[in-house]
Amino acid sequence: MVELLGFKYKQCDAMNETYCKIMENYIDAYNKFDIDRMILDVDRDIKFQNITNNNIDMEINGIENFKDQAIKSKHLFKEREQKIINMEFTGNQVKVDISYHGILASDLPNGLKAGDKIELKGVSIFIFNDNKIVEILTALNAD
C-alpha cells in the first residue's frame, strides 16, 4: 500500500509504484501552480485532451504547447485543487477519479467572473511510455 497525497491506495504496489510517484508529483505540482515540476515526467510529444460537460474544450500536442497552456491557466485561478478519489492501473495506463475545486482570479469569456467557484468531478486517464506521461485524457462534469 502506498500513501499518495495523504490517501492510501491498495492499487499502488511494487509493480506500479513508479506511476504512483509520477502521479503524486504531477497533481501536487498542478495544485501548487509549479509548472516546471508538473511537466518533469511529461513526454516532449505529450497529447492532451480536456472534455468539460461532454464538450471537447482543449486539445494540445507537444510539451511546449502544454507548458504554454499550463502557464496561461495558472493565471486564471486564485486557487485550484485536484483531489484523487481513486486510481486504477491497467498496463501502461492509470485511470484517476478526481474532484476539482477552483476559484477564478479573472473573468472568463463564458460569463464566469473572478471569485466564482468551480466544482467538478471527473476522470483523467494517463498513458505512459518509458515512465513518461505521453497522453492525458480528462473528462470533467459540474457537480
Side-chain angles (χ1 to χ4, degrees):
M1 201 176 308
V2 171
E3 187 168 325
L4 184 63
L5 298 177
F7 298 94
K8 293 187 187 289
Y9 292 93
K10 292 179 188 169
Q11 299 95 327
C12 289
D13 57 27
M15 258 175 60
N16 51 37
E17 185 176 1
T18 300
Y19 292 167
C20 285
K21 288 179 180 179
I22 291 170
M23 298 305 305
E24 179 178 35
N25 179 68
Y26 179 87
I27 291 175
D28 186 56
Y30 176 89
N31 290 343
K32 292 178 178 171
F33 298 95
D34 185 346
I35 307 304
D36 289 331
R37 189 164 60 95
M38 192 175 109
I39 65 170
L40 189 65
D41 297 304
V42 171
D43 189 80
R44 65 183 176 88
D45 295 322
I46 183 74
K47 292 180 182 177
F48 175 84
Q49 184 177 68
N50 194 78
I51 301 167
T52 305
N53 295 322
N54 298 317
N55 295 312
I56 297 173
D57 53 14
M58 188 179 307
E59 289 186 276
I60 298 170
N61 291 300
I63 191 75
E64 290 304 319
N65 293 329
F66 186 80
K67 184 176 181 177
D68 289 346
Q69 182 57 44
I71 291 168
K72 288 176 192 171
S73 296
K74 174 180 174 175
H75 299 292
L76 294 176
F77 292 93
K78 190 173 174 179
E79 67 180 63
R80 65 184 183 190
E81 181 180 33
Q82 284 189 27
K83 286 186 182 175
I84 297 172
I85 306 302
N86 188 43
M87 291 194 315
E88 296 175 23
F89 299 85
T90 306
N92 69 332
Q93 297 183 22
V94 181
K95 177 185 166 227
V96 183
D97 296 315
I98 59 170
S99 66
Y100 179 87
H101 163 81
I103 298 176
L104 293 174
S106 55
D107 296 347
L108 298 180
N110 66 2
L112 292 174
K113 303 289 183 199
D116 284 353
K117 292 180 182 177
I118 298 173
E119 302 284 340
L120 302 168
K121 288 192 178 186
V123 174
S124 289
I125 297 173
F126 291 79
I127 302 172
F128 291 84
N129 187 27
D130 293 328
N131 293 328
K132 291 284 191 181
I133 301 168
V134 295
E135 193 165 347
I136 304 171
L137 308 167
T138 299
L140 299 167
N141 291 299
D143 276 350

